[in-house]
Amino acid sequence: MKGRVLIVAGSDSGGGAGIQADIKAVTALKAYAATAIAALTIQNTRGVFGVVEVAPDAVADQMRVVLEDIGADALKTGMLATAPVIDAVADTIASHAPRVPLVVDPVMVAKGGARLLAADTEQSLLRRLVANAALVTPNLPEAAALTGREVVDKDDMRRAAERLLRLGAGAVLLKGGHLDSAIVSDLLLTAESEHWFESPRIETRHTHGTGCTLASAIAAGLAQGLAMEHAVARARDYVQEAIRRAPGFGTGHGPLDHTHTVGDFGAGR
């Protein structure tokens, strides 16, 4: 095991996304996952049925005690729900882990359409976290919300990523899964380079938690000392295989197989 990742995100009772997916992905890639739970969601593969907020001080305290004892080689944020929680997370990072690379997954809306970030908090997310991120990983709707511009093709993707870089992010991985194409195109943009990752679309409804899983897999790579492009490439390969091997659970947007990297240690004996 190599690399410590502190994940700050919401819990998914269905186990397919959020903190649960984050822990599975980091562990499957042989890094160590610690967590600070920022919200509790009541959900399954069919949708989100409720959200219970965690007090900002409690979120900050979870982070602080982990950082003071275990430490972290990378940080990852997911669902943070409200501006006070975003502020608490940003303040704790500034005081306890200012030089640790931060991966920001700007979770705003669940697969089923439920909003997971208060509508008035985008500017807090941009100002406090995106501006200080080593990497931000929006999908197309999230990029449109953060930049205030529609993103409907690859040229729009490049312009949106450039805007997020200007706002302070060190790198942007703009995920193109919402484009109507048989090929999924993701753009990794930094101040120095542009790289397009492309792969055939896997036709399946079992894609719950792909964004959480991808961001945490990248954070694991950064924690292990991988260069950004290598960390992204490995994470994409991991997620694609997890989608291909999805177990078929649930009647809605089903979970991935996060464990495909793990050998069979006598299961069923």
Side-chain angles (χ1 to χ4, degrees):
M1 180 177 286
K2 177 184 177 183
R4 303 159 297 172
V5 183
L6 173 57
I7 304 146
V8 189
S11 169
D12 171 8
S13 55
I19 285 284
Q20 287 81 356
D22 298 324
I23 294 171
K24 293 172 190 177
V26 170
T27 303
L29 293 172
K30 301 187 183 300
Y32 180 81
T35 64
I37 296 176
L40 304 175
T41 68
I42 302 164
Q43 66 174 298
N44 55 26
T45 67
R46 299 174 186 172
V48 178
F49 300 91
V51 176
V52 180
E53 297 176 8
V54 175
D57 286 349
V59 178
D61 286 345
Q62 292 175 78
M63 296 175 64
R64 177 181 54 78
V65 297
V66 170
L67 291 168
E68 289 176 350
D69 177 29
I70 298 170
D73 302 299
L75 304 167
K76 184 257 182 174
T77 62
M79 175 190 175
L80 300 180
T82 67
V85 169
I86 291 170
D87 287 339
V89 170
D91 289 344
T92 306
I93 292 172
S95 60
H96 287 81
R99 290 178 292 279
V100 178
L102 168 64
V103 176
V104 174
D105 182 18
V107 177
M108 295 179 176
V109 180
K111 274 282 190 298
R115 190 166 185 90
L116 300 176
L117 183 71
D120 59 350
T121 60
E122 281 94 344
Q123 289 305 309
S124 293
L125 183 66
L126 281 169
R127 181 173 52 85
R128 299 303 313 275
L129 291 178
V130 170
N132 295 300
L135 176 69
V136 59
T137 63
N139 58 30
L140 267 56
E142 290 162 348
L146 291 172
T147 62
R149 298 181 180 182
E150 192 175 22
V151 184
V152 297
D153 58 29
K154 293 175 74 172
D155 287 339
D156 289 340
M157 288 176 66
R158 183 180 292 105
R159 284 189 286 269
E162 289 171 347
R163 179 167 174 78
L164 290 171
L165 283 184
R166 289 196 297 271
L167 292 171
V172 179
L173 179 66
L174 188 43
K175 301 172 293 188
H178 285 80
L179 294 181
D180 184 14
S181 172
I183 300 298
V184 175
S185 299
D186 299 335
L187 171 62
L188 176 63
L189 188 68
T190 71
E192 295 79 29
S193 65
E194 174 183 314
H195 185 92
W196 287 93
F197 295 90
E198 297 190 327
S199 54
R201 184 181 299 277
I202 301 170
E203 295 298 338
T204 177
R205 63 180 173 85
H206 298 289
T207 56
H208 184 49
T210 49
C212 306
T213 300
L214 179 66
S216 285
I218 296 169
L222 297 179
Q224 292 165 334
L226 299 184
M228 183 67 73
E229 188 172 320
H230 186 184
V232 171
R234 185 184 73 162
R236 287 185 87 258
D237 289 345
Y238 167 76
V239 171
Q240 287 170 348
E241 189 64 17
I243 295 171
R244 278 191 286 266
R245 297 189 184 216
F249 298 154
T251 56
H253 297 289
L256 317 182
D257 177 4
H258 292 89
T259 67
H260 67 80
T261 62
V262 182
D264 182 358
F265 293 100
R269 293 181 183 175

